[in-house]
Amino acid sequence: MDNHNLNVRKLTLWQVIIVGIAYMTPMTVFDTFGIVSDVTSGRVPLAYIFALVAMLLTAFSYARLSQQTERPGSAYTYTAESCGTAAGFFVGWCSLLDYILLPLINALLAGIYLNALMPAIPYAVWVFIAAGLVTLVNCFRIHILANLSLLFVFVPLIMLVIFIYLVIHGISSNGYEHVLTLTPLFNGDSSIVPLITGASILCFSFLGFDAVTTLSHETHNPKKTIPRAVMLTTLIGGVIFISASWFIQLYFPDNSRFKDPEAALPEIALYVGGALFQAVFLVGQIMNTAASGLASHASAARLIHIMGRDGIFHKGIFGAFNHKLGTPLYSVLTIGLISMTAMFLDLSTVVNLISFGALIAFTAVNFSVFMKFYVQDKQRAGFKYFALNLCLPFLSVLSIVAMWVNLESSALHFGGAWLALGIVLFIYKKLRKQSIVLSNA
């Protein structure tokens, strides 16, 4: 291990968790509430519980594999080491679609929110400013990003606490029995399929546990810290999502009060706290988007850097590390340029692309646990190893299959096209490598 890696390894457990929580965007519960409430017939908290259970199973697979290596790279690295470099390439390529589009979405959302607050400044200008500032922060050492993420996560969480207080205050005026109820979980509807559909939408709110595994080289004692961060990020994110959705569901048992259920956040804030609270809440949402933008940008840049070091992308550019700044500078700048294309795109188009890469990564990591421990290490004797190395990965894959079934056809089409491009790149690199070998023979 080189001295450069030792010099930049500064992140503590809680700094890594903060980056993961920031990546999750806790306030996204308000953006998706109207959609999932309609799908689940007013049982959003229960859908979040379903999603949390499914994600904890997969997070456990990530945690186990992160104990086996200090190399970052998330699903890409774990699959390459367990199933071979070819499998690792395709998983990394599909995951890359997810990683590079999340910073773009945050730039897009920041542009929408800021343009709503100050419409005199064009949307495209706000996207350029938001993407530019996030890129600038990511050019410097990771501990700066971690500290900023703490601020940008803390303020929205304070807003969330105030929101919960206002909900309790509003509902308790008719008696506390309306607050102390299990109606958000059990409202008389016992159907399961809508809950699975809702959970498949909400599972992508938990992507922060995947992102923290890309920070191994910048984390203190990664074989111990990263597995803990993976599980704690998932659990803390789940508690935040379930708590917030519980009180939103208490106040809005159904979608009848929403003019636009697919963009219910402004209406939720207005009904609960009035116009002033709505404005303040929107500022908190912008900070939440900034936190997610910083974290997702950092993770995407590091995945490109790792794939560059492995020769998948240009090693001299993407595999380079700036020792002075302590960051993979060219990879950071590349993600910044991609994020700025948000000014030409719409949200629905980009969102449809993200789920494909995430599901590929989740499926591959669970299969990698089976390959690593059950097949390669032959840990099969006894119920413990049978359960850990075969049953749990199988249950995880089953939960992900339910999400695949509910994936939109547009995501499959775009994802399939991206995968086809990856196949072309893989064949090109193989042929190029063979030609170099033959020319040197």
Side-chain angles (χ1 to χ4, degrees):
M1 188 178 299
D2 55 36
N3 292 330
H4 136 64
N5 282 337
L6 290 173
N7 290 334
V8 299
R9 189 165 291 180
K10 293 183 174 181
L11 292 181
T12 64
L13 172 63
W14 285 104
Q15 284 178 315
V16 175
I17 290 171
I18 288 297
V19 172
I21 296 297
Y23 194 100
M24 282 184 171
T25 322
M27 302 281 275
T28 193
V29 62
F30 291 89
D31 293 313
T32 57
F33 177 82
I35 301 170
V36 180
S37 181
D38 181 57
V39 169
T40 62
S41 301
R43 295 175 293 164
V44 177
L46 193 53
Y48 266 116
I49 292 173
F50 274 52
L52 176 60
V53 171
M55 289 298 95
L56 280 173
L57 288 171
T58 296
F60 185 62
S61 293
Y62 273 81
R64 292 191 69 198
L65 290 172
S66 67
Q67 289 178 318
Q68 304 300 309
T69 179
E70 290 190 6
R71 291 188 66 212
S74 190
Y76 160 68
T77 297
Y78 303 151
T79 306
E81 292 186 350
S82 302
C83 306
T85 55
F89 170 85
F90 287 111
V91 170
W93 178 258
C94 293
S95 299
L96 191 62
L97 182 65
D98 173 31
Y99 272 80
I100 65 177
L101 289 179
L102 277 171
L104 188 150
I105 280 187
N106 283 294
L108 190 154
L109 289 173
I112 292 173
Y113 296 146
L114 289 165
N115 183 248
L117 285 176
M118 289 171 275
I121 300 177
Y123 161 76
V125 174
W126 282 124
V127 170
F128 180 83
I129 292 172
L133 288 175
V134 167
T135 302
L136 179 62
V137 172
N138 271 281
C139 286
F140 298 95
R141 293 186 186 276
I142 193 73
H143 73 279
I144 297 175
L145 179 145
N147 293 334
L148 279 175
S149 294
L150 175 61
L151 172 65
F152 288 154
V153 168
F154 180 74
V155 172
L157 288 179
I158 290 297
M159 296 301 303
L160 182 57
V161 171
I162 295 172
F163 172 84
I164 291 174
Y165 166 77
L166 291 173
V167 168
I168 293 174
H169 179 73
I171 294 177
S172 63
S173 60
N174 298 321
Y176 278 101
E177 66 273 10
H178 296 285
V179 177
L180 304 173
T181 175
L182 295 178
T183 303
L185 291 181
F186 312 106
N187 60 4
D189 190 337
S190 58
S191 53
I192 299 296
V193 173
L195 289 173
I196 297 175
T197 304
S200 70
I201 298 171
L202 298 174
C203 276
F204 305 109
S205 301
F206 290 85
L207 282 172
F209 75 79
D210 176 284
V212 301
T213 60
T214 64
L215 303 177
S216 294
H217 273 177
E218 292 149 303
T219 301
H220 174 69
N221 194 4
K223 285 190 175 182
K224 183 178 180 181
T225 301
I226 295 299
R228 290 180 178 179
V230 166
M231 298 306 296
L232 286 172
T233 298
T234 309
L235 281 169
I236 293 170
V239 169
I240 293 171
F241 292 139
I242 293 167
S243 300
S245 62
W246 181 286
F247 288 98
I248 302 171
Q249 197 78 79
L250 271 179
Y251 206 93
F252 302 96
D254 53 48
N255 285 355
S256 59
R257 298 175 69 183
F258 300 141
K259 294 179 182 178
D260 184 7
E262 294 188 8
L265 185 147
E267 291 183 85
I268 291 172
L270 179 64
Y271 286 131
V272 171
L276 177 61
F277 179 74
Q278 182 190 43
V280 175
F281 202 78
L282 188 58
V283 172
Q285 182 69 358
I286 292 171
M287 296 189 72
N288 188 64
T289 302
S292 180
L294 288 168
S296 58
H297 192 121
S299 298
R302 279 149 183 80
L303 180 58
I304 290 179
H305 170 63
I306 294 156
M307 296 176 79
R309 286 192 320 180
D310 290 349
I312 292 176
F313 301 130
H314 193 286
K315 186 173 287 190
I317 297 175
F318 299 107
F321 195 94
N322 189 295
H323 293 257
K324 185 176 180 180
L325 295 174
T327 57
L329 182 61
Y330 295 133
S331 298
V332 169
L333 294 176
T334 299
I335 295 298
L337 290 174
I338 294 172
S339 298
M340 288 179 184
T341 64
M343 62 182 73
F344 307 112
L345 301 172
D346 63 86
L347 185 62
S348 60
T349 300
V350 182
V351 168
N352 282 335
L353 297 174
I354 289 181
S355 53
F356 182 87
L359 288 179
I360 289 286
F362 293 163
T363 305
V365 168
N366 283 304
F367 185 72
S368 295
V369 167
F370 166 74
M371 289 297 297
K372 165 66 178 170
F373 298 104
Y374 195 85
V375 176
Q376 294 177 4
D377 295 349
K378 295 182 171 58
Q379 295 182 8
R380 307 167 186 169
F383 177 77
K384 175 185 174 181
Y385 289 127
F386 176 76
L388 284 176
N389 302 331
L390 183 63
C391 295
L392 278 180
F394 179 71
L395 285 174
S396 298
V397 170
L398 279 182
S399 68
I400 294 167
V401 166
M403 300 178 222
W404 276 112
V405 170
N406 288 281
L407 199 61
E408 291 188 11
S409 59
S410 58
L412 290 172
H413 294 154
F414 281 116
W418 178 260
L419 180 58
L421 183 61
I423 293 172
V424 172
L425 177 62
F426 182 79
I427 293 172
Y428 166 76
K429 291 187 75 64
K430 278 288 185 183
L431 292 175
R432 187 169 181 270
K433 186 176 180 180
Q434 289 176 2
S435 66
I436 292 173
V437 172
L438 290 174
S439 64
N440 292 333

